[in-house]
């Protein structure tokens, strides 16, 4: 079946630091890959997505590239802000699970001023 | 304006006392999902509706039921809540079943079981 593995958290950074959150996946076929973000007290919202190999998703300064050869979709941002503090979830759909999303366990990011 | 609305934001129930969580959407989406999210864990899909078609995940306990009386509303019924059912319950929608379609989530209902 499908699965997603995220780097263990929590992650604490200073403002303007570089961020990487690792995500690897296992799936049959050609899944679509997503990053969702959950701000405190809110539901999940889509941050970015990529639907085929070598696609790069980007939004709000965040980027992730779909790497089929390494089955990875790492999230990066060059300069984080305090307002980026949230929980980040890597997810996939497709393959054996159809449209159903399979989530990673989430990574708590805290950015200090 | 919120497009997927969950009520209540916090729900407290007693062990074994039935409880219903509600979700409504203004997006007119065909698909509605219920996820369970325990502390520091990934959201876990319980079931989903495509229109009136109900699809249960294989490992969803029988204790969990769902109703979708119309396009806009979907309910999660927990018939006899146990302590292990304390969690955040997330409702989500999307337009279709395409694998690349994004989900729209509500803010969730945090359920406590005493």
């Amino acid at each position: 079946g499908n699965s997603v593995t995220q780097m263990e958290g929590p992650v604490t950074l200073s403002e303007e630091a570089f961020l990487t959150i690792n995500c690897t996946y296992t799936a049959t076929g050609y899944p679509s890959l997503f990053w969702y973000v959950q701000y405190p007290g809110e539901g999940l919202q889509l941050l970015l997505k990529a639907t085929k190999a070598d696609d790069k998703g980007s939004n709000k300064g965040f980027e992730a590239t779909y790497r089929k050869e390494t089955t990875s979709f790492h999230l990066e941002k060059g300069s984080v802000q305090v307002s980026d503090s949230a929980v980040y979830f890597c997810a996939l759909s497709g393959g054996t699970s159809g449209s159903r999303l399979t989530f990673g366990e989430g990574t708590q990011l805290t950015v200090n001023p | 304006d919120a497009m997927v609305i969950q009520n209540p934001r916090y729900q407290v129930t007693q062990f074994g006392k039935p409880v219903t969580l509600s979700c409504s959407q203004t997006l007119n989406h065909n698909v509605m999902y219920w996820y369970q999210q325990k502390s520091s864990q990934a959201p876990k899909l319980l079931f989903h509706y495509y229109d009136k078609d109900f699809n249960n995940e294989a490992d969803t306990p029988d204790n969990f039921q769902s109703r979708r009386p119309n396009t806009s509303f979907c309910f999660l019924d927990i018939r006899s809540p146990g302590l292990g059912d304390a969690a955040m319950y997330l409702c989500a929608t999307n337009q279709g079943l395409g694998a690349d379609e994004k989900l729209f989530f509500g803010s969730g209902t945090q359920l406590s079981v005493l």
Side-chain angles (χ1 to χ4, degrees):
Chain A
N2 294 344
S3 68
V4 176
T5 302
Q6 285 183 239
M7 67 183 288
E8 291 184 12
V11 174
T12 302
L13 296 173
S14 298
E15 208 164 22
E16 299 183 3
F18 184 86
L19 169 71
T20 299
I21 302 177
N22 290 338
C23 171
T24 57
Y25 67 89
T26 302
T28 55
Y30 301 91
S32 294
L33 301 174
F34 305 82
W35 278 99
Y36 279 81
V37 59
Q38 188 174 30
Y39 297 103
E42 298 183 15
L44 281 73
Q45 52 186 279
L46 180 68
L47 180 60
L48 53 84
K49 71 175 186 181
T51 58
K52 59 183 187 296
D54 299 326
D55 263 4
K56 179 186 283 188
S58 61
N59 186 25
K60 300 181 181 179
F62 291 89
E63 293 183 341
T65 301
Y66 189 145
R67 301 284 188 202
K68 191 164 177 62
E69 64 276 13
T70 55
T71 62
S72 65
F73 193 55
H74 305 321
L75 182 68
E76 297 182 336
K77 186 174 186 181
S79 177
V80 293
Q81 305 300 313
V82 173
S83 57
D84 294 327
S85 299
V87 182
Y88 292 81
F89 291 91
C90 186
L92 69 80
S93 67
T96 56
S97 67
S99 66
R100 300 193 296 284
L101 275 178
T102 300
F103 286 93
E105 293 198 354
T107 300
Q108 171 75 57
L109 170 67
T110 301
V111 180
N112 295 318
Chain B
D1 288 337
M3 296 176 286
V4 182
I5 303 159
Q6 289 188 244
N7 286 307
R9 184 73 178 88
Y10 300 94
Q11 176 73 56
V12 180
T13 191
Q14 292 178 339
F15 184 93
K17 184 175 180 181
V19 65
T20 294
L21 310 182
S22 74
C23 177
S24 63
Q25 55 135 338
T26 60
L27 297 164
N28 205 35
H29 280 171
N30 291 320
V31 192
M32 295 186 78
Y33 303 83
W34 279 105
Y35 283 85
Q36 179 193 63
Q37 184 183 17
K38 295 188 176 180
S39 182
S40 302
Q41 295 184 22
K44 177 180 177 299
L45 183 63
L46 296 173
F47 23 61
H48 75 276
Y49 276 94
Y50 184 88
D51 285 340
K52 295 183 178 180
D53 244 358
F54 177 70
N55 298 271
N56 201 28
E57 294 301 299
D59 56 354
T60 298
D62 292 341
N63 201 22
F64 291 85
Q65 305 285 321
S66 185
R67 296 169 284 135
R68 189 179 185 186
N70 53 52
T71 301
S72 301
F73 286 87
C74 193
F75 300 98
L76 170 62
D77 300 309
I78 308 177
R79 292 192 298 189
S80 181
L83 298 178
D85 296 328
M88 174 74 82
Y89 289 88
L90 298 169
C91 175
T93 73
N94 71 8
Q95 179 59 36
L97 293 176
D100 61 347
E101 297 200 32
K102 77 173 189 180
L103 269 61
F104 293 79
F105 282 85
S107 297
T109 294
Q110 183 69 51
L111 177 68
S112 300
V113 181
L114 305 180

